[in-house]
Every structure is written in C-alpha cells, then in structure tokens.
Amino acid sequence: MHMAVKSSKPNRRRFIFSCFVFIFFLCVFASINQVRFNGILKFGRFALSNESLPTNEEEVRILISVLTIPDQYLRRHFLRLVYGTQTYEGAKVDVKFVLCNLTKEDQKVMVGLEIMRYNDIIILNCTENMNKGKTSTFFTTLPDIFNGVGPYPPYHYVMKADDDTYVRLNSLVMSLRPLPREDLYYGFVIPCGSMDPFKHYMSGMGFVVSWDIVEWIHGSDIPKKHVEGPEDKVFGDWMRWGRRGNNRYNAKWYMYNYPDPPSVCSHQLWNDTIAVHLLKNQDKWIRTLTFFNHTHPLNPSKMYHTC
Ligand SMILES: *[C@@H]1O[C@H](CO)[C@@H](O)[C@H](O)[C@H]1NC(C)=O
Ligand SMILES: *[C@@H]1O[C@H](CO)[C@@H](O)[C@H](O)[C@H]1NC(C)=O
Ligand SMILES: *[C@@H]1O[C@H](CO)[C@@H](O)[C@H](O)[C@H]1NC(C)=O
Ligand SMILES: *[C@@H]1O[C@H](CO)[C@@H](O)[C@H](O)[C@H]1NC(C)=O
Ligand SMILES: *[C@@H]1O[C@H](CO)[C@@H](O)[C@H](O)[C@H]1NC(C)=O
C-alpha cells in the first residue's frame, strides 16, 4: 500500500487491476470453501448428533412380536383386526405371533390354516411354559430367521408385546423415529413408581430393542447362562450384565396398565398413549378402542350403518 501510493500512474492502474483480480479470486476461493464448509457441517450433524440418520431417506422398520400360545385362535384373530386397521406413516410395521412347538394334531391344521392365510406366525423350538426361556429362545432365533433376506437390518426395532396389550402403532412409530437405532432399550420401566429407565427393567407389556441388541443376545454367553426366571426381569439382567441398552427410553406414562383395577402401574386412558396393558376381557378392549376412536375412520357406505 505504502509503495502503491508513491508509484506513478500506469503502475497504479496496474495495481488497481491486480487488486480486482486478487479480490475476484478471493471471492471464488471463499465461495468454494463455503460449499465445502457446508458439507462438513452437514456431515458433522449426522455424525455427531443422536438423530442417527436422515429421517426421510429410510423408513423405520419395526417388528412387533406378540408372544402367545397355539390355542389362542380367537385372540390372534382379534389382534389381526386391531393391528390391521391402524394407519401410520414413515414406517414398515410387521406384527407376528410367536408360539412354541405345536403339541396337538388339531393345532397343526388350525395354525397351518393361519399361516397359509396370514403368514404371520413364528414357531420356535421350545415348549410352552412360563419362565423357561421363551423370550430368550425368541431373541436368539430372530437373526437366523431374518438376517440375509431383504435389507439389513431386517428390522431397526423389535418389540416384544403381550397379547393383552393394545399398541397404538402411529404413536409408537412417532416416538421411535427420533431415537437412536443402536443400543436402544425402550419401554415401561419397572418398578411402576420409578421414572429412571436404568432402575430395573422394562415391563413385558411391550418393550423395544434395536437390532444390534438382538444380535448381541444371539451371540453372547450371558443370555445362554441365565435363562430361568421372570422373562422380562431376566432380559433386564442381560442388559445390565452385558452393559447393553445404554440408550434407554422410559415410555411411561405413554404406556400403562388399564385403569381398572387402579394400581401404581395403571393410569386413566388419555390421548398421549402408545400402549395399554392388561386388557383381560372383551369389555376392557371395547372401552379402550372406543376411547381412542379406533373405528371412527369407517367410510360411509350403502352397505352398512353402524349406529
Ligand atoms: C441428544 O441426546 C442428548 C442427551 O441424551 C439430549 O439432551 C439432546 O437433546 C439430544 N439431541 C438431539 C438433537 O436429539
Ligand atoms: C430343539 O430343541 C431340542 C431340545 O431343546 C434340541 O434337542 C433340538 O436339537 C432342537 N432342534 C432344532 C431343530 O434346533
Ligand atoms: C419341537 O419340535 C421339533 C420338530 O418336531 C423337534 O425337533 C424339537 O425337539 C421340539 N422341541 C422341543 C423343545 O420339544
Ligand atoms: C385429545 O385429542 C383430541 C384431538 O387431538 C382433542 O380434540 C382433545 O381435546 C384431546 N383431549 C384431551 C383430554 O387432551
Ligand atoms: C375421539 O373423538 C371425540 C369426538 O370426535 C373427540 O372429542 C376425542 O378427543 C377423540 N379422542 C381421541 C383420543 O382422539
């Protein structure tokens, strides 16, 4: 600058020109870097944040596995209606019923018919009895059934649900979408009075784990050594002993027991609901479906009138 001020006119013109050129290249350089910088920012956001992927690009795949016994034909029929009539967006949800070995001749025909019609039944290599590791067998068997067919992971999340639980699929999907797809252990934390998801374990009414945990159960020795006991508590023990499920999500009070009988685990039916548990009879199911306006989307038709 100092030199330039002193210099003669032609020199000065050349200087101004070169200043313009210099500024021009500065601008070009800056704009290129802007692009690169934005790219880094964008990448960083995905790499660092817990929203683990661009939500629109891949729909979330959820397996809802309802553990039940072969003879519960009417319950399965009802649950197919309850789950088959719900709508949700941005997700693929499969509902499958999980049984142990069939033991009677009529079951082979009846369950066979269901499989032919619905193909929504998984029969594990186990015998039906409480607290002898059906949940363990189920999670251990899952990768053998689903890995290698279709996309990977076959499901981002696997939910284990009871057959007396009403799961509202859209609410479930919405609650899972922002959550991590790794190392997730999600549900209604036991004891009922606690809001700390690391306290004990998630209730068997309906808990969710990510697929990496399913694979860990498949491969680890911990679940193989500790099978007997209340299944959901045992599952919580695996998570603790294996230091898994570090992404924990307590879905209380979006999940709860039906209000009657009242208890520390129950809650009034309310709008913000993912699951209602202990629907032990038809009356409780009807009241619940009525509260959530489950059949409101019925289209008007000349074929029927429902009121
Ligand atoms: C990421 O997780 C932390 C702690 O779990 C939470 O405070 C934060 O809000 C989350 N960020 C996003 C973008 O979800
Ligand atoms: C099924 O389980 C039984 C007993 O647990 C075992 O002996 C048998 O090999 C298993 N069969 C298959 C096909 O895995
Ligand atoms: C279940 O049935 C399969 C096939 O019939 C049989 O190989 C297996 O041993 C049975 N498992 C148990 C635990 O009874
Ligand atoms: C429940 O949700 C509906 C529709 O979103 C709303 O009109 C109603 O006021 C809500 N009720 C309560 C108790 O929050
Ligand atoms: C059900 O429908 C009624 C009447 O349209 C509405 O007031 C109520 O908020 C709805 N309940 C829920 C849970 O959406």
Side-chain angles (χ1 to χ4, degrees):
M1 275 303 190
H2 189 71
M3 296 258 300
V5 174
K6 272 188 176 173
S7 61
S8 62
K9 263 189 187 166
N11 262 354
R12 196 169 177 174
R13 211 171 289 150
R14 200 177 303 152
F15 171 76
I16 288 171
F17 175 73
S18 55
C19 269
F20 272 118
V21 171
F22 178 68
I23 287 169
F24 174 77
F25 276 108
L26 254 186
C27 288
V28 169
F29 182 71
S31 68
I32 287 172
N33 268 307
Q34 174 79 26
V35 170
R36 200 179 297 161
F37 188 55
N38 274 345
I40 289 169
L41 265 188
K42 238 177 246 163
F43 175 77
R45 214 177 299 142
F46 290 128
L48 295 177
S49 81
N50 23 12
E51 42 168 329
S52 55
L53 65 140
T55 29
N56 298 335
E57 281 181 21
E58 199 184 13
E59 59 178 14
V60 56
R61 296 185 291 276
I62 304 169
L63 173 66
I64 297 183
S65 40
V66 180
L67 270 59
T68 182
I69 57 174
D71 284 337
Q72 288 278 11
Y73 303 108
L74 294 178
R75 175 57 58 90
R76 284 198 293 280
H77 173 66
F78 181 68
L79 289 176
R80 283 187 187 106
L81 292 176
V82 163
Y83 290 119
T85 50
Q86 298 189 45
T87 56
Y88 44 84
E89 277 174 15
K92 172 178 178 282
V93 180
D94 289 343
V95 178
K96 306 248 186 242
F97 299 99
V98 181
L99 316 176
C100 284
N101 268 6
L102 308 182
T103 52
K104 298 183 249 171
E105 285 307 309
D106 64 333
Q107 289 172 348
K108 289 178 186 166
V109 176
M110 297 288 282
V111 174
L113 286 172
E114 288 181 81
I115 293 172
M116 289 169 78
R117 178 65 182 84
Y118 302 108
N119 195 25
D120 60 358
I121 294 208
I122 294 173
I123 303 179
L124 304 171
N125 181 15
C126 54
T127 37
E128 295 288 357
N129 52 4
M130 296 280 278
N131 299 344
K132 291 270 185 174
K134 183 173 178 181
T135 304
S136 159
T137 308
F138 170 64
F139 282 103
T140 311
T141 311
L142 271 183
D144 291 335
I145 298 177
F146 291 110
N147 268 353
V149 285
Y152 182 86
Y155 297 99
H156 299 106
Y157 301 115
V158 176
M159 173 183 246
K160 179 259 150 181
D162 281 343
D163 64 0
D164 59 352
T165 300
Y166 173 52
V167 181
R168 299 180 75 218
L169 300 181
N170 192 44
S171 305
L172 177 71
V173 169
M174 302 275 276
S175 80
L176 285 174
R177 286 188 74 177
L179 298 184
R181 293 184 180 182
E182 290 88 36
D183 210 19
L184 182 84
Y185 183 31
Y186 162 119
F188 175 97
V189 70
I190 299 290
C192 291
S194 171
M195 292 302 275
D196 172 9
F198 289 89
K199 184 80 177 177
H200 285 321
Y201 59 95
M202 301 301 180
S203 156
M205 67 168 76
F207 66 80
V208 177
V209 291
S210 49
W211 188 257
D212 58 317
I213 288 188
V214 175
E215 292 190 326
W216 174 76
I217 293 170
H218 177 85
S220 168
D221 279 340
I222 290 174
K224 293 178 183 67
K225 286 182 185 147
H226 178 35
V227 170
E228 299 213 3
E231 306 248 328
D232 313 313
K233 178 178 175 302
V234 165
F235 194 98
D237 291 340
W238 301 341
M239 295 296 100
R240 191 163 56 256
W241 297 353
R243 297 175 191 281
R244 299 291 148 158
N246 292 302
N247 295 314
R248 294 212 185 184
Y249 185 84
N250 178 19
K252 201 180 283 176
W253 291 97
Y254 301 106
M255 304 170 102
Y256 48 87
N257 285 351
Y258 187 81
D260 178 33
S263 80
V264 67
C265 309
S266 70
H267 193 286
Q268 297 302 109
L269 297 178
W270 64 348
N271 269 1
D272 288 329
T273 294
I274 292 168
V276 185
H277 180 227
L278 286 189
L279 299 173
K280 289 290 184 197
N281 58 41
Q282 169 130 334
D283 180 58
K284 290 178 180 180
W285 273 102
I286 298 301
R287 284 172 193 273
T288 302
L289 295 180
T290 304
F291 178 87
F292 292 109
N293 298 327
H294 191 106
T295 54
H296 271 205
L298 266 187
N299 291 319
S301 163
K302 287 182 183 165
M303 277 173 45
Y304 52 72
H305 50 96
T306 54
C307 40

